[in-house]
Amino acid sequence: MPEDTSVRQYDIILRGGNVFESTTGTFRTSDIAIKGCHIARIAQDIAGTATHVVDCRDKIVSPGLVDMHTHVYDGVFEKSVPVVEAHLRRGVVAVADAGSFGCSNFEGFRRYIVEDSPCRVVGFVNISSVGLSNMEVSEFASPAAVMQDKTIAVGKDYPDIVKGVKVRLSRSQAAETPLEYLRAAIEVGESIGKPVMVHFGETACSIEEVLDELRPGDILTHSFHGKSAGLLDGGRLNEAALAARERGVLFDVGHGTTQLAYRVARIALEQGFYPDTIGSDLSLRNWREPAYDLLTVMSKMIALGMPLSDVLVASTLRPAELLGISVDGYGVLAEGGMASITVLEQLTEPDILPDASDDRLPVKRLEPVLVVNRGELVDQVPWRGTNVRHLAPVDDGTCC
């Protein structure tokens, strides 16, 4: 006999939402019932009662958002954001810190950020042992800062946290020898079996030279920056970028303070070159403008012409897979799976939002209506762009 669910008691029921199936890129109208930290049922008109019943009609019900590129080593890197305030309370249930920590200060990152956070935190270990601490001193101020053996040891000892290696190649960090640092990062990545994330922009070599070094699964972040030697060759995509994608190199947005140009992104999207992941590169330098948060960066990509379903995949399933956390239930909605869910609505009135060069674009923002994190409801905070005086970003070649 079929199970009688008429009197089933759940903790949360989300009613009638437009549920996004990240594995197929499609939507269906469904209820979602949650019991404890797991999704009990996904179906239309689920019978039963719940402590919390939420009307999600006309709302997008998505797997909890995953930010591929941010900076959350709060209290050590001076520009890091608090992960709960900046991410979890703005719809993001899992984040990857992109190089704020190195092998020398990894232990603090593990103890005080990863283990203390209610949301999932992983990261890319900086090829510099000191990671990031401030914006004035390069992590490569001393060549001795690159400690490959110790970085490999950290990566092998903590594979559940260290999901790759980060290297910044701007002149302000890597000076005139960026390929030396890139190759050191790749050697570490090969030793620990993880990808390298490469910060490229205002770099003392061509993008072709950098892309030629990258392996399948390695990631070029800040893909749509408007600086010299970028993704475009005139009005067309650089052939080296197309060839790199063909062999499996990945491309991340990494908006940050100075790293997204609408002009570049629009041309790339028009030519079918969508980012694999939509990292925010959030920091204290940009969380009030121009990046704001992951949802705002996602909204900008939609306004530039990237389809909603592709934007959601690039902010849920794809980063979860690349970070190796999809096996823990991130990036998908499935019966029996983890209940980490972001409910969204798209505003009808646009905000006029800047990119990194103060170009302006009308953007109908996505806003979090409700977040369930491992079965727990999370209070949200208002968008940080409200009533904030505009300050044009300074393009100083640094990150974040």
Side-chain angles (χ1 to χ4, degrees), residues 91-164:
V92 179
V93 300
V95 303
D97 184 284
S100 303
F101 64 95
C103 64
S104 294
N105 55 17
F106 168 79
E107 192 62 24
F109 182 75
R110 180 183 70 83
R111 291 185 194 178
Y112 306 120
I113 304 299
V114 175
E115 293 184 356
D116 280 356
S117 175
C119 62
R120 184 69 180 270
V121 179
V122 297
F124 291 80
V125 61
N126 202 309
I127 189 58
S128 168
S129 60
V130 298
L132 300 173
S133 60
N134 60 61
M135 304 303 298
E136 287 73 37
V137 179
S138 166
E139 53 262 45
F140 303 128
S142 168
V146 178
M147 299 179 181
Q148 287 172 272
D149 289 345
K150 290 185 177 181
T151 305
I152 289 169
V154 165
K156 288 185 174 180
D157 288 345
Y158 296 96
D160 56 330
I161 299 174
V162 177
K163 300 300 183 177

Side-chain angles (χ1 to χ4, degrees), residues 10-303:
Y10 300 104
D11 296 316
I12 303 169
I13 297 178
L14 307 179
R15 292 282 189 198
N18 201 14
V19 176
F20 181 64
E21 297 184 338
S22 58
T23 56
T24 61
T26 60
F27 295 87
R28 61 170 170 150
T29 302
S30 294
D31 296 349
I32 296 180
I34 298 165
K35 184 72 173 178
C37 60
H38 294 97
I39 295 174
R41 292 196 70 205
I42 303 176
Q44 290 187 331
D45 302 321
I46 293 174
T49 61
T51 305
H52 302 280
V53 178
V54 184
D55 184 354
C56 294
R57 287 175 297 177
D58 300 321
K59 306 294 190 297
I60 299 165
V61 180
S62 168
L65 303 181
V66 181
D67 196 332
M68 186 72 175
H69 182 162
T70 185
H71 294 276
V72 294
Y73 202 172
D74 192 21
V76 175
F77 174 34
E78 64 175 1
K79 298 301 181 182
S80 281
V81 293
V83 66
V84 171
E85 189 76 5
H87 289 292
L88 184 57
R89 299 186 70 189
R90 290 293 298 162
V92 179
V93 300
V95 303
D97 184 284
S100 303
F101 64 95
C103 64
S104 294
N105 55 17
F106 168 79
E107 192 62 24
F109 182 75
R110 180 183 70 83
R111 291 185 194 178
Y112 306 120
I113 304 299
V114 175
E115 293 184 356
D116 280 356
S117 175
C119 62
R120 184 69 180 270
V121 179
V122 297
F124 291 80
V125 61
N126 202 309
I127 189 58
S128 168
S129 60
V130 298
L132 300 173
S133 60
N134 60 61
M135 304 303 298
E136 287 73 37
V137 179
S138 166
E139 53 262 45
F140 303 128
S142 168
V146 178
M147 299 179 181
Q148 287 172 272
D149 289 345
K150 290 185 177 181
T151 305
I152 289 169
V154 165
K156 288 185 174 180
D157 288 345
Y158 296 96
D160 56 330
I161 299 174
V162 177
K163 300 300 183 177
V165 186
K166 176 71 180 294
V167 59
R168 297 200 299 158
L169 298 184
S170 297
R171 275 192 172 90
S172 55
Q173 290 87 45
E176 302 305 310
T177 57
L179 294 181
E180 289 185 18
Y181 297 113
L182 175 58
R183 288 165 184 156
I186 289 173
E187 287 179 11
V188 173
E190 288 179 344
S191 295
I192 66 175
K194 298 289 176 66
V196 172
M197 177 183 279
V198 180
H199 165 120
F200 182 86
E202 299 296 339
T203 300
C205 67
S206 68
I207 191 171
E208 291 87 351
E209 291 175 282
V210 170
L211 290 172
D212 283 348
E213 298 283 339
L214 300 187
R215 308 160 299 159
D218 287 338
I219 305 150
L220 188 80
T221 191
H222 311 315
S223 298
F224 303 132
H225 72 69
K227 304 170 186 179
S228 60
L231 192 68
L232 301 183
D233 185 1
R236 299 290 302 171
L237 285 163
N238 190 306
E239 289 297 326
L242 295 172
R245 165 158 280 180
E246 184 68 23
R247 69 173 193 275
V249 174
L250 306 171
F251 294 82
D252 175 59
V253 173
H255 186 304
T257 307
T258 67
Q259 310 291 359
L260 174 68
Y262 290 151
R263 174 185 59 84
V264 175
R266 186 180 288 110
I267 291 172
L269 295 178
E270 286 172 352
Q271 296 179 28
F273 197 93
Y274 295 169
D276 296 283
T277 56
I278 302 179
S280 66
D281 189 16
L282 211 63
S283 75
L284 292 182
R285 299 180 72 215
N286 60 57
W287 77 327
R288 299 190 189 281
E289 192 175 294
Y292 304 99
D293 50 40
L294 177 60
L295 273 171
T296 306
V297 180
M298 292 165 60
S299 304
K300 289 181 178 184
M301 298 309 296
I302 294 169

